[in-house]
Amino acid sequence: MTDIIEPQDAPHAFQAAWNAHDMYALGALFHEDATFVNRFGHYVRGADEIVKLHAPIHATIYSDSTLDNTLIDVVAIGDDAAIVHFWSRLSSGVAHPAGPHAVDTLILAVLTRHRNAWRFKALENVTLTNPRTGEPVLRDRS
């Protein structure tokens, strides 16, 4: 498992757990009472619920998916809390019913220090879309 030693490590730790399809490692990145909102607006509370939300899709449609996360910024809100924004490109493979495709999202996360590491307290994931059509769009990565 990849620990979050500093808040700026959060995007990589999330990416590593996702790309390993290790939902227990993903759950371990969250506080027990953390909240999670996926890109479809599904809200869950608790690390166990976050694992339950992700395990079935990693066993099926996202079994061959990968994430590529890029840190945008870290805003400290005290010695033991930070807000982290990062881009996330989800690349689905042939296991997805729509076939291989990519989706870009913007993630807003609140992290707090837990002993010598940081954990997600809240995470919200928003799909980038064209506001006129509602169609997903990919961000310019340059």
Side-chain angles (χ1 to χ4, degrees):
M1 181 183 99
T2 303
D3 282 330
I4 304 172
I5 305 302
E6 296 294 337
Q8 62 266 23
D9 300 330
H12 175 73
F14 191 87
Q15 173 183 304
W18 183 284
N19 291 348
H21 303 285
D22 184 344
M23 296 304 96
Y24 294 105
L26 184 78
L29 298 174
F30 290 82
H31 288 284
E32 286 301 312
D33 63 346
T35 60
F36 188 97
V37 179
N38 73 7
R39 67 188 188 98
F40 302 106
H42 187 135
Y43 168 89
V44 294
R45 177 181 284 279
D48 290 342
E49 294 301 312
I50 294 167
V51 170
K52 284 182 195 175
L53 177 66
H54 288 89
I57 58 176
H58 278 269
T60 58
I61 65 171
Y62 287 153
S63 62
D64 58 354
S65 68
T66 58
L67 285 185
D68 182 14
N69 293 339
T70 304
L71 180 68
I72 298 170
D73 63 16
V74 176
V75 178
I77 52 176
D79 292 339
D80 296 321
I83 298 168
V84 178
H85 291 94
F86 57 99
W87 294 115
S88 186
R89 175 159 291 169
L90 170 67
S91 296
S92 296
V94 296
H96 196 283
H101 65 282
V103 175
D104 279 345
T105 64
L106 176 61
I107 294 178
L108 164 70
V110 177
L111 288 91
T112 59
R113 192 185 313 265
H114 178 72
R115 298 189 182 112
N116 292 328
W118 292 75
R119 297 283 179 262
F120 291 105
K121 188 69 171 176
L123 186 148
E124 184 168 350
N125 198 2
V126 178
T127 302
L128 298 183
T129 59
N130 179 324
R132 292 183 177 92
T133 66
E135 293 293 317
V137 297
L138 294 178
R139 68 182 177 88
D140 180 9
R141 297 177 94 176
S142 57

